[in-house]
Amino acid sequence: MSGPEPFGARLRRAMDARGPLCVGIDPHAALLAEWGLNDDVAGLERFSRTVVEAVADRVAVLKPQSAFFERFGSRGIAVLEASVTQARAAGALVVMDAKRGDIGSTMAAYAECFLHPDSPLFSDALTVSPYLGYGSLGPAVELARESGTGLFVLALTSNPEGGEVQHAVRADGRNVGATMLGHLAAENAGETPLGSFGAVVGATLGDLSSYDLDINGPLLAPGIGAQGATAADLPAVFGPAVRNVVPNVSRGVLRHGADVVALRDAAERFSDEIRAAVAAM
């Protein structure tokens, strides 16, 4: 009996059908206030439900940021569970932005929380941190393969502090970011139409031609919109790998407030701009 369809294949199909846009669900306190909502569980629930209603039936990926739900304790986690279920039911793939990273049984428990089909927080993919060593992600890689889910590994992030670790040069002459890309290329070797193990690579980083971004897997690219990058920048940053880029937009969409139509229109504008930029390559 064949196992579940791999995340990479499902993502490729969703990107081809809906475009590659990923919309973040980031209900931080300032944004709740901009929407006229209280910074409480009721405001959190209203915010998340509105975003899901507006775009989950039309974008390829939704990416809830777990921390903004966790800060409300068990009631916030319950909202997150409902949001994941509702988004997936509407056809969006859910990438849980939790950036988990640990060793051994603890890493396995994090993986089970987000990547096991029996978990209330079961998502299509999970962001993870490899900075206890790429091998520490082994339990998550194994469960992702079993459950047909995926991982997005922090490789070349857009925050200025990231270079302290990611640009550090190893004894073999490669820096740490390039090493992570190499590990992911090995995980995805031979997979079609797309591997399930992706990298997080900032869209604001400029020319990345010195890196081999052809990992046969998706590249989750934050930075479009409020952080300063535009859809038109994507080909110059990612080169031939741009077809596998999943550009993430959060504030650029969410700032349009609690109106479903306005959120939907903003997402569609970004999606159209991204499609045009990718097609121009």
Side-chain angles (χ1 to χ4, degrees):
M1 180 182 298
S2 62
E5 185 179 20
F7 170 69
R10 294 187 289 118
L11 177 61
R12 177 79 274 159
R13 187 168 61 248
M15 292 169 69
D16 290 346
R18 296 184 169 196
L21 178 65
C22 168
V23 174
I25 306 180
D26 296 358
H28 53 76
L31 196 49
L32 291 175
E34 287 181 26
W35 280 39
L37 300 172
N38 292 329
D39 186 22
D40 56 20
V41 173
L44 177 74
E45 194 279 333
R46 173 72 181 276
F47 181 97
S48 302
R49 178 163 42 84
T50 301
V51 177
V52 171
E53 178 185 351
V55 301
D57 64 344
R58 60 198 62 214
V59 301
V61 181
L62 281 176
K63 184 175 70 64
Q65 169 47 256
S66 180
F68 293 123
F69 296 82
E70 293 176 43
R71 69 192 184 100
F72 291 104
S74 60
R75 293 182 300 160
I77 296 296
V79 174
L80 181 58
E81 291 173 359
S83 299
V84 170
T85 299
Q86 292 159 7
R88 298 186 78 231
L93 299 177
V94 172
V95 173
M96 183 61 68
D97 194 359
K99 298 184 178 69
R100 297 303 197 250
D102 215 306
I103 61 172
S105 59
T106 308
M107 189 68 245
Y110 281 139
E112 289 169 7
C113 178
F114 299 108
L115 303 178
H116 195 288
D118 293 338
S119 170
L121 285 169
F122 179 59
S123 303
D124 297 283
L126 171 68
T127 61
V128 291
S129 173
Y131 295 111
L132 289 175
Y134 183 84
S136 67
L137 301 179
V141 171
E142 181 179 355
L143 183 54
R145 291 194 186 280
E146 292 175 2
S147 61
T149 56
L151 299 176
F152 283 98
V153 177
L154 302 178
L156 297 168
T157 58
S158 55
N159 62 304
E161 303 88 350
E164 179 178 348
V165 174
Q166 295 155 23
H167 297 166
V169 179
R170 293 160 32 99
D172 63 5
R174 289 198 303 172
N175 69 23
V176 173
T179 299
M180 296 307 157
L181 293 171
H183 284 305
L184 293 167
E187 298 286 3
N188 293 324
E191 296 293 330
T192 57
L194 189 67
S196 298
F197 299 95
V200 178
V201 178
T204 57
L205 295 178
D207 182 7
L208 293 175
S209 58
S210 61
Y211 290 91
D212 186 359
L213 299 177
D214 184 13
I215 62 170
N216 191 34
L219 302 169
L220 182 62
I224 301 291
Q227 293 183 46
T230 69
D233 295 327
L234 293 173
V237 176
F238 294 96
V242 73
R243 184 172 178 269
N244 295 332
V245 170
V246 183
N248 176 73
V249 179
S250 295
R251 280 174 288 175
V253 171
L254 302 178
R255 66 180 178 81
H256 291 275
D259 181 84
V260 167
V261 174
L263 291 169
R264 190 170 290 162
D265 288 346
E268 289 181 353
R269 284 195 300 273
F270 276 108
S271 186
D272 289 345
E273 291 171 3
I274 291 165
R275 282 181 188 264
V278 172
M281 276 295 292

